[in-house]
Amino acid sequence: MRNTGKRKEIRQQRLAQRAALSPEERQQADREMAGLLFSCPEWEVSETVFCYVSFRDEADTFRIIQEALARGKKVAVPRVEGKHRMEFYYINSMDDLSPGYMGIPEPSEDAERRAVPVKNDLMVMPGATFDRSGTRLGYGAGFYDAYLSKHPDCRKLALAYSVQIEEQIPPEPHDIPVEMIITEKGMIRCSQDSQEIR
């Protein structure tokens, strides 16, 4: 229970710091993060990018989705379909999205367009806060942990502003760690001896 309280406190603090970023800081950081993502090997080799659709003050993914489509990659984005349950569907453009769960832009449910990640596919994840070992705190609903427990083979990457990086987050057994975190200051390859590189 102590860990749960600590995690909730960390989540609230980091989300408040993210919300306090100015539009100018956010736009500059979004450009830096997109550039870093486009230069990383995992992006180059991925044929399909599974990517969250940014909402409110999350790190922007619109330019990432558009760039992936422009490069001929397949793009799949999430749709909430029940408690702790989401699925990903291929899209051809941002026009395929409409407001869904909590007002977040989502694709329509179409069994023929359902996507399942495989090895070398890239999963670009949101979150409230992360630490350098790859522990991720989401928003509390458990969608990504539940999804990735069933589809573990893809590469797991997170986008986050540097104010969202925590020194250490108490992990829980259900947590699915990320392998990489991209902030505007550089890429963090997550391991016990991870270092931030520029």
Side-chain angles (χ1 to χ4, degrees):
M1 192 65 184
R2 184 179 299 171
N3 269 4
T4 302
K6 180 64 173 172
R7 284 162 64 97
K8 185 176 180 181
E9 180 184 336
I10 291 170
R11 179 187 287 118
Q12 289 173 339
Q13 288 174 346
R14 293 301 181 174
L15 286 176
Q17 288 176 295
R18 186 178 78 181
L21 292 171
S22 71
E24 294 75 23
E25 289 173 315
R26 198 181 304 282
Q27 289 167 10
Q28 177 63 29
D30 288 339
R31 282 193 294 271
E32 297 286 348
M33 285 188 277
L36 285 165
L37 174 60
F38 299 152
S39 69
C40 79
E42 291 81 4
W43 170 267
E44 287 296 330
V45 302
S46 64
E47 292 184 9
T48 303
V49 178
F50 288 73
C51 188
Y52 73 96
V53 180
S54 53
F55 187 62
R56 293 182 179 159
D57 55 12
E58 289 179 327
D60 176 61
T61 59
F62 281 55
R63 76 181 69 210
I64 291 165
I65 291 169
Q66 289 166 337
E67 179 70 11
L69 291 168
R71 292 196 189 191
K73 295 180 184 290
K74 293 180 181 176
V75 174
V77 300
R79 174 185 172 86
V80 172
E81 298 192 343
K83 188 175 182 181
H84 308 306
R85 193 167 70 84
M86 67 179 181
E87 296 290 344
F88 281 77
Y89 294 88
Y90 293 117
I91 61 168
N92 295 317
S93 76
M94 302 303 283
D95 293 336
D96 292 345
L97 307 178
S98 56
Y101 175 78
M102 303 288 286
I104 300 168
E106 291 185 337
S108 60
E109 184 177 2
D110 180 350
E112 293 184 3
R113 299 189 67 80
R114 182 173 292 181
V116 176
V118 296
K119 188 177 180 181
N120 287 336
D121 284 345
L122 187 62
M123 177 69 70
V124 181
M125 304 165 63
T129 180
F130 306 84
D131 69 19
R132 293 170 184 273
S133 71
T135 302
R136 170 185 173 273
L137 264 185
Y139 304 119
F143 290 114
Y144 278 88
D145 290 328
Y147 186 83
L148 290 168
S149 68
K150 298 175 189 171
H151 306 290
D153 293 334
C154 55
R155 309 304 303 270
K156 301 163 193 68
L157 180 147
L159 295 179
Y161 301 111
S162 56
V163 296
Q164 293 176 256
I165 304 301
E166 181 72 17
E167 188 65 33
Q168 186 174 19
I169 298 169
E172 290 189 346
H174 64 264
D175 287 342
I176 303 287
V178 299
E179 300 166 48
M180 299 164 280
I181 307 163
I182 291 180
T183 78
E184 75 278 12
K185 293 184 176 179
M187 179 179 287
I188 301 167
R189 293 200 174 264
C190 301
S191 68
Q192 291 182 336
D193 59 348
S194 62
Q195 295 180 344
E196 189 168 294
I197 58 172
R198 291 187 71 96

